[in-house]
Amino acid sequence: MDQIKIGKFIASCRKEQGMTQAALAEKLGISDRAVSKWETGKSLPDSGIMLELCDLLKINVNELLSGERIMAESYDRRAEENLLEMKRQVEEKNRQMLRTEYLISFPTVIAGLFMCFVASFVEMPVWVRIALIAFALVMIFAVAFIAVGIEQKAGYYECQKCHDRHIPTYWQTNLAMHIGRTRYMKCPECGKWSWQKKVLSKENAEV
Ligand SMILES: [Zn+2]
């Protein structure tokens, strides 16, 4: 999606409707800075505000995301392209979150193991030994909790029985037995237990 083009389009539609940035912002209950950020292509309107914004600009969401008016005959194709593009962006965001999960957990585990190793083999007072091991464990647990939080929010888990894709609660995720990111959980759809795999998007079709 071309944010600059979308921004220019928002600005021109807003002017067509005879509104200033401030007037549009006020109608939407947001700051003029936010409107200015859209119009300069620095950010996209939140999905929560998009419909209202389109109403005010007398355009539809499909046109907003395309950054131009769309003729009736190419409308369906453009709608599909925009949907796919949004889906791709969501997947990419999820992929990045999962990468972050590795980036924070891997070094923490290595550092923690290294501390335990030092505490076991290097000459030092007993209390330092205990403090070092305790610190390493607390650190590993803290980061593990954060990492599971990231994993839970990035994408979905797929039930192996009915193939429903869903997001479990944080504690359901955290307490589940797991091998890597595949977790043994109960499916909210069919109620069966299975090893649920992490998937990046809600639909089965790959992009
Ligand atoms: Zn199921």
Side-chain angles (χ1 to χ4, degrees):
M1 248 168 276
D2 184 344
Q3 281 188 209
I4 303 274
K5 187 176 171 197
I6 294 173
K8 284 185 180 147
F9 183 56
I10 292 176
S12 84
C13 295
R14 170 179 61 73
K15 285 172 199 152
E16 268 172 39
Q17 299 305 319
M19 278 185 280
T20 60
Q21 286 188 349
L24 178 61
E26 202 196 321
K27 284 192 173 142
L28 291 167
I30 55 170
S31 68
D32 0 338
R33 247 182 77 77
V35 175
S36 150
K37 275 166 103 182
W38 304 337
E39 295 190 355
T40 49
K42 291 201 183 84
S43 70
L44 279 176
D46 260 18
S47 55
I49 217 169
M50 246 180 220
L51 281 177
E52 209 183 338
L53 172 66
C54 288
D55 271 354
L56 290 168
L57 298 178
K58 306 268 190 292
I59 54 176
N60 57 56
V61 173
N62 198 17
E63 290 173 319
L64 178 82
L65 295 174
S66 303
E68 63 191 8
R69 304 237 179 233
I70 300 167
M71 297 298 125
E73 55 269 27
S74 57
Y75 191 86
D76 285 348
R77 190 176 53 77
R78 291 300 286 273
E80 245 159 58
E81 281 170 9
N82 283 330
L83 268 177
L84 285 176
E85 174 67 12
M86 293 252 265
K87 184 166 176 253
R88 204 186 55 73
Q89 287 191 3
V90 169
E91 287 184 0
E92 185 50 36
K93 203 188 95 220
N94 288 338
R95 202 170 284 132
Q96 274 172 10
M97 280 166 74
L98 292 176
R99 219 172 282 145
T100 309
E101 185 193 10
Y102 269 136
L103 285 178
I104 64 170
S105 18
F106 195 62
T108 309
V109 170
I110 298 287
L113 289 177
F114 178 72
M115 280 183 215
C116 292
F117 179 81
V118 169
S120 314
F121 296 109
V122 176
E123 200 68 31
M124 65 179 78
V126 173
W127 73 269
V128 178
R129 234 185 261 287
I130 293 170
L132 204 55
I133 291 174
F135 180 79
L137 290 180
V138 168
M139 184 179 72
I140 289 176
F141 270 100
V143 170
F145 274 68
I146 295 168
V148 170
I150 294 174
E151 181 185 317
Q152 178 232 352
K153 284 184 200 71
Y156 302 81
Y157 293 89
E158 185 182 292
C159 166
Q160 290 308 294
K161 308 280 181 194
C162 71
H163 299 285
D164 174 60
R165 295 182 171 195
H166 55 95
I167 301 177
T169 64
Y170 175 76
W171 284 108
Q172 199 185 353
T173 313
N174 204 345
L175 298 175
M177 272 192 292
H178 67 104
I179 300 173
R181 285 178 183 138
T182 302
R183 292 175 183 268
Y184 192 69
M185 294 183 289
K186 189 177 172 182
C187 168
E189 187 66 23
C190 68
K192 295 191 181 121
W193 289 80
S194 67
W195 287 94
Q196 304 189 7
K197 275 195 198 124
K198 184 94 236 176
V199 288
L200 289 174
S201 60
K202 181 87 180 149
E203 301 81 22
N204 283 303
E206 294 301 319
V207 176

